Amino acid sequence: MNKKIKTALISVYYKDHLEEIVRKLNEQQVSIISTGGTKEFIEKLGIQVTAVEEITTYPSILGGRVKTLHPKVFGGILARLDNKQDVKDMEQYGIHSIDLVVVDLYPFEETVASGAGDADIIEKIDIGGISLIRAAAKNYRDVVIIPSKEQYPELLNMLSNQQGETTLEQRRSLALEAFAVTSHYDASIFGYFNRNKEKVAFRQSFDMAKPLRYGENPHQKGTFYGNFEALFEQVQGKEISYNNLLDIEAAVYLIDDFREPTFAILKHNNACGVASRPQLIDAWKAALAGDPVSAYGGILITNVKVDAATAQEIDKLFFEVVIAPAYEPGVLEILQKKKNRIILIRKDVALPQVQFRSMLNGVIEQDRDTRFESKQDMKPVTKRIPVDQEYNDLVFANKVVKHSKSNTIVLARDGQLIASGVGQTSRVDALKQAIIKAHNFGFETKGAVMASDAFFPFADCVEIANEAGIKVVIQPGGSVRDQDSVDYCDKNDMAMVFTGIRHFKH
């Protein structure tokens, strides 16, 4: 059923792009009701506007907290015009119908993000506006609701191309948008009040949605909810896929644990190459040497600006994505030769400290694993104590193992990942896989260090490591059979340290 707009109530925080709407409404002889600053804005345009106080016969009170909360306003919005009793009530109490409501809420999220104090944040909790949106959306059969400035273009289209006439389908669609706005707004307020997790409840809301080509596989649908552009600038490349996003997240979390210039190559969320060097080009070459086969089609990431010499080397490899905080002049021209390459500039934006994922018929949530262990966190448990360079490699290897799929073993030497065994059901198999890979790519395991994401239930892993010439081990400890591993290390002049921290990743 089509309806023509006759009376509009406008109450918005931001006035951007409002002028064109107001002028269109005036051209179509729509009566306009407004409040406070919005009313003043409309008056300055030379357009007639009725103050809401004239409708309610009450002034704006409590410092503007109460302006529109009145039966003559909400009755005009909620009245069902095909309901005889509603029409009778309107006549009895002098209520006039309102068939367009335009609202733009107080910027609560922006105020929180600005670091404002609690009092200022509380004042940015919109009461009247949110009530107007809900009321108009509930009565969408008779009322058009514009719940935010994001819907201004749609309203302008209806005014310009339909002469202010709307269809039931359009009004229902706008009601859907309205409840999306109110639910997101309420979730944000709840998140602020529950920032210390006093209330055990899960509330997350993302307004931005990006349909993906498909999910993990072509037969699965996929959507990314969030603001990817807040974290990265995409310089060029094809659409980012579901699997790209998984790898990008894994890459970012890995690189953030390194302070020195570092390059990492990831495939299926695991590092296949990582190296830290004073010069980036050397870090790249060492990272690629770790597993040049898996690097093909991988995700590349560094924590420093990419220079031309390094870019020339990177350009020799087929890769999906490269991520860096910046690129020196001329570097992008080198990397942009292949148009499908996704080139990202990472912005200096903090990442969330909480992770969640769907699980069965619910959601699980946890704090992100932001911890990594320094030399001071490592407790030697063997007679032999690691020397300084070995400690450096233990710190390096333990960072990589933290970001690898469990069960995992990482072998490293001189700030370079020389091999890893990841995603194995047995830690012994993970170690054997790592040793085989290291030898296949020409690395000598003698002198390497070994890191494990969890404790050794038996001494078999340190035995296998020793046979491969690996004499320094880092693990969390905590097994009832820890002493078996310690005793074996002592008998074979091996050094082992415990961290007391497990780094499972599934």
Side-chain angles (χ1 to χ4, degrees):
M1 181 177 172
N2 289 3
K3 296 266 185 177
K4 187 166 178 64
I5 297 170
K6 297 176 182 177
T7 303
L9 171 59
I10 306 176
S11 180
V12 300
Y13 186 85
Y14 290 115
K15 314 300 186 293
D16 306 5
H17 309 297
L18 183 62
E19 179 178 348
E20 191 175 355
I21 288 173
V22 172
R23 292 196 182 281
K24 282 287 182 185
L25 291 170
N26 186 58
E27 285 174 16
Q28 295 177 15
Q29 299 182 327
V30 175
S31 299
I32 300 174
I33 305 165
S34 193
T35 64
T38 308
K39 181 179 81 72
E40 292 175 10
F41 174 86
I42 295 170
E43 286 176 332
K44 286 178 181 177
L45 298 177
I47 293 171
Q48 185 175 350
V49 56
T50 301
V52 76
E53 291 85 350
E54 292 181 37
I55 305 294
T56 65
T57 70
Y58 271 85
S60 172
I61 60 173
L62 307 181
R65 282 188 165 196
V66 179
K67 296 190 286 283
T68 58
L69 296 169
H70 192 279
K72 286 200 171 183
V73 174
F74 281 85
I77 296 169
L78 285 164
R80 294 160 292 186
L81 301 182
D82 60 353
N83 183 293
K84 291 181 180 179
Q85 186 58 51
D86 283 7
V87 173
K88 184 178 179 181
D89 287 345
M90 291 173 71
E91 291 171 354
Q92 181 178 352
Y93 296 107
I95 298 172
H96 299 282
S97 65
I98 297 170
D99 42 38
L100 169 64
V101 176
V102 181
V103 177
D104 190 59
L105 297 170
Y106 290 165
F108 178 82
E109 284 184 289
E110 293 91 331
T111 306
V112 172
S114 73
D118 187 67
D120 290 333
I121 290 170
I122 297 303
E123 284 308 308
K124 287 299 185 289
I125 297 176
D126 207 312
I127 302 300
I130 207 91
S131 301
L132 290 169
I133 292 173
R134 289 178 64 84
K138 178 176 180 175
N139 200 26
Y140 71 87
R141 299 188 71 85
D142 291 306
V143 182
V144 178
I145 175 61
I146 302 298
S148 77
K149 58 179 185 257
E150 302 302 320
Q151 286 74 45
Y152 284 3
E154 191 168 350
L155 175 58
L156 274 171
N157 177 63
M158 290 187 293
L159 293 172
S160 300
N161 299 325
Q162 299 171 209
Q163 289 69 53
E165 201 167 89
T166 64
T167 66
L168 179 62
E169 184 181 358
Q170 287 174 323
R171 296 193 298 276
R172 194 182 190 285
S173 175
L174 286 166
L176 172 64
E177 295 289 347
F179 287 119
V181 168
T182 59
S183 62
H184 179 79
Y185 199 78
D186 284 340
S188 300
I189 295 169
F190 173 79
Y192 174 74
F193 275 89
N194 198 42
R195 59 194 181 278
N196 295 322
K197 302 296 182 183
E198 298 99 328
K199 174 73 174 173
V200 182
F202 183 82
R203 300 281 190 283
Q204 290 289 340
S205 177
F206 298 96
D207 266 347
M208 300 185 72
K210 179 181 176 62
L212 304 173
R213 295 197 305 273
Y214 48 80
E216 206 160 4
N217 299 291
H219 63 276
Q220 296 171 270
K221 290 183 179 179
T223 306
F224 173 69
Y225 296 97
N227 187 0
F228 186 82
E229 287 71 26
L231 301 177
F232 303 96
E233 176 189 344
Q234 184 171 351
V235 177
Q236 78 149 34
K238 60 185 178 182
E239 256 187 73
I240 292 173
S241 71
Y242 182 99
N243 292 325
N244 289 153
L245 287 169
L246 292 176
D247 284 330
I248 289 168
E249 181 188 61
V252 165
Y253 287 154
L254 168 65
I255 206 70
D256 280 355
D257 277 351
F258 292 88
R259 301 293 173 265
E260 58 276 17
T262 300
F263 230 117
I265 307 168
L266 287 89
K267 199 77 170 287
H268 296 291
N269 310 153
N270 292 300
C272 57
V274 186
S276 298
R277 296 286 185 271
Q279 300 299 318
L280 187 60
I281 190 169
D282 296 327
W284 163 252
K285 289 179 178 179
L288 180 61
D291 186 347
V293 174
S294 297
Y296 183 86
I299 307 296
L300 320 182
I301 189 166
T302 182
N303 54 1
V304 296
K305 184 185 291 186
V306 177
D307 57 80
T310 305
Q312 293 283 5
E313 291 298 316
I314 293 171
D315 187 53
K316 297 174 183 177
L317 178 74
F318 169 75
F319 61 86
E320 286 265 336
V321 183
V322 60
I323 309 166
Y327 301 86
E328 287 186 357
V331 166
L332 291 177
E333 286 77 2
I334 296 169
L335 298 178
Q336 286 176 313
K337 292 175 184 175
K338 294 181 174 65
K339 298 303 178 184
N340 281 337
R341 282 177 176 169
I342 298 170
I343 302 174
L344 300 178
I345 299 173
R346 186 179 175 192
K347 300 177 182 179
D348 186 16
V349 177
L351 291 164
Q353 298 300 298
V354 174
Q355 296 174 310
F356 56 89
R357 62 190 289 186
S358 61
M359 182 61 57
L360 297 174
N361 62 346
V363 173
I364 54 175
E365 180 183 82
Q366 67 171 355
D367 296 334
R368 189 159 63 84
D369 185 1
T370 57
R371 176 161 181 167
F372 60 85
E373 289 69 54
S374 65
K375 176 182 176 181
Q376 289 70 36
D377 299 310
M378 299 176 188
K379 177 186 175 184
V381 293
T382 51
K383 293 175 184 177
R384 184 190 155 191
I385 308 298
V387 299
D388 285 346
Q389 181 55 47
E390 290 171 334
Y391 267 121
N392 291 339
D393 283 339
L394 289 174
V395 171
F396 177 94
N398 205 46
K399 289 178 181 179
V400 178
V401 86
K402 166 188 161 184
H403 294 281
S404 303
K405 296 282 187 180
S406 299
N407 289 312
T408 181
I409 293 288
V410 161
L411 306 180
R413 183 176 56 234
D414 298 329
Q416 179 187 22
L417 171 65
I418 64 170
S420 61
V422 299
Q424 299 301 304
T425 53
S426 159
R427 201 164 304 282
V428 169
D429 287 343
L431 174 54
K432 289 179 177 178
Q433 182 189 68
I435 292 170
I436 291 169
K437 284 189 70 175
H439 292 162
N440 284 347
F441 291 118
F443 289 103
E444 174 58 63
T445 49
K446 184 178 180 180
V449 305
M450 175 174 79
S452 175
D453 60 334
F455 65 62
F456 301 130
F458 304 100
D460 45 10
C461 280
V462 290
E463 293 173 14
I464 295 168
N466 182 52
E467 291 168 4
I470 299 163
K471 292 289 188 177
V472 185
V473 179
I474 183 171
Q475 59 141 319
S479 168
V480 294
R481 293 177 177 269
D482 276 345
Q483 195 60 45
D484 292 353
S485 294
V486 173
D487 291 344
Y488 181 89
C489 288
D490 282 339
K491 288 176 184 176
N492 291 275
D493 193 32
M494 295 176 70
M496 184 162 63
V497 299
F498 286 177
T499 65
I501 301 296
R502 188 182 74 184
H503 288 298
F504 270 169
K505 184 184 178 189
H506 295 102

